Amino acid sequence: MMKAAPLRRRPLAELAFLLLAACGTADRTAADRFVETGQLVALSGGDAGASSACLVCHGVDGRGNGAGAPRLAGLDLGYLSAQLEAYATGRRKNAEMEWIAKRLTPADRQRVSAYYAAMPYRPAAAMPSNVSAGPAAALYQRGDPARGLQPCAVCHGRAGEGVGAGNPALGGQPAGYLSQQLVAWQQSERRNDPGNVMLEISRKLTPGEVAGLGAYASGLPGGLPRRESPAASRSAHRDDPRNDASAPRPHGAE
């Protein structure tokens, strides 16, 4: 009597493929949605590779790593897309982000930006009492007319929520990251501000003020951005104001 052939153990990937194939059009549509939403890029890194996947630094929930990688969840789609374009063209300097952005197609940059923009915003923790008042608070909320410094709140909101699509929320972002971006503006490592507003502002700040503003803005509660334009600010008249302070850092560097 002929013996039955032994059962062959199939790899998990092969089984998953067969399952999807058996399910027909509905599952292929689901797979298409997975790609179209940008989730695939966020989880796999796209052509930049798995080691460069967005979630490595920015987390599965888009909240960042609490250190140098900022929150992306809930930021404006156009703003996020513009930052990736700036990295790809060298107008924002960051060796790893430039490498990643150049390997994503414009369509993939748009998809992954939409994916993070659609994530829910989670309020920041309460601000520590030692930064809730003082020189940095006054500079952020009231500015310094003697030096021609308008309040940061004009464009970024009194609660750090951002005002309009082009001025990102600062509340809840890592303090070190925010200070680091001001230094990047000072040193022209960020040049994606058509009106050079941030360049001009940052170069009027002392190192102590840069650190203080980062700590103060980080502790603000943030929130959903207000839609009205900050008409009192020069930045309101920028050709493309989707700049300022929110994009990734290199993994383990910067």
Side-chain angles (χ1 to χ4, degrees):
M1 184 175 180
M2 185 178 294
K3 291 184 178 180
L7 290 175
R8 182 170 66 91
R9 291 177 178 265
R10 299 185 179 218
L12 181 61
E14 183 180 346
L15 290 172
F17 173 79
L18 291 172
L19 179 62
L20 287 172
C23 291
T25 305
D27 286 284
R28 286 199 297 273
T29 302
D32 289 342
R33 285 199 297 271
F34 179 67
V35 174
E36 289 171 1
T37 61
Q39 187 177 11
L40 181 60
V41 178
L43 299 182
S44 73
D47 288 343
S51 64
S52 298
C54 307
L55 64 82
V56 174
C57 287
H58 300 286
V60 175
D61 58 3
R63 297 183 70 180
N65 62 8
R71 169 177 67 84
L72 304 183
L75 295 179
D76 179 72
L77 162 61
Y79 174 82
L80 291 173
S81 180
Q83 301 315 299
L84 285 173
E85 180 183 355
Y87 280 123
T89 59
R91 290 181 292 122
R92 273 193 81 165
K93 295 295 183 183
N94 179 298
E96 186 163 358
M97 281 306 306
E98 182 175 342
W99 188 89
I100 292 170
K102 283 182 175 179
R103 281 157 181 78
L104 297 178
T105 65
D108 279 343
R109 292 178 211 150
Q110 188 77 2
R111 290 186 187 107
V112 76
S113 295
Y115 173 68
Y116 280 108
M119 284 185 171
Y121 168 76
R122 293 175 175 83
M127 177 183 290
S129 59
N130 65 325
V131 294
S132 61
L139 193 57
Y140 184 96
Q141 300 291 354
R142 299 195 295 274
D144 185 351
R147 287 187 288 168
L149 287 171
Q150 294 202 49
C152 306
V154 171
C155 290
H156 296 287
R158 294 186 65 82
E161 74 276 24
V163 180
N167 298 298
L170 305 183
Q173 298 286 22
Y177 169 78
L178 294 178
S179 296
Q180 185 182 72
Q181 295 311 298
L182 286 171
V183 173
W185 287 113
Q186 286 178 335
Q187 298 177 352
S188 292
E189 292 178 355
R190 287 193 66 169
R191 293 176 286 104
N192 58 329
D193 183 359
N196 291 321
V197 174
M198 288 304 301
L199 174 68
E200 181 180 332
I201 290 172
S202 64
R203 289 186 172 178
K204 292 178 180 179
L205 300 173
T206 68
E209 288 171 334
V210 167
L213 281 171
Y216 177 77
S218 174
L220 291 170
L224 295 175
R226 289 187 284 119
R227 294 300 175 188
E228 64 267 26
S229 174
S233 171
R234 284 178 52 199
S235 60
H237 305 292
R238 284 178 265 178
D239 295 331
D240 180 5
R242 297 184 179 199
N243 43 58
D244 292 356
S246 186
R249 71 185 276 273
H251 309 317
E254 192 173 289

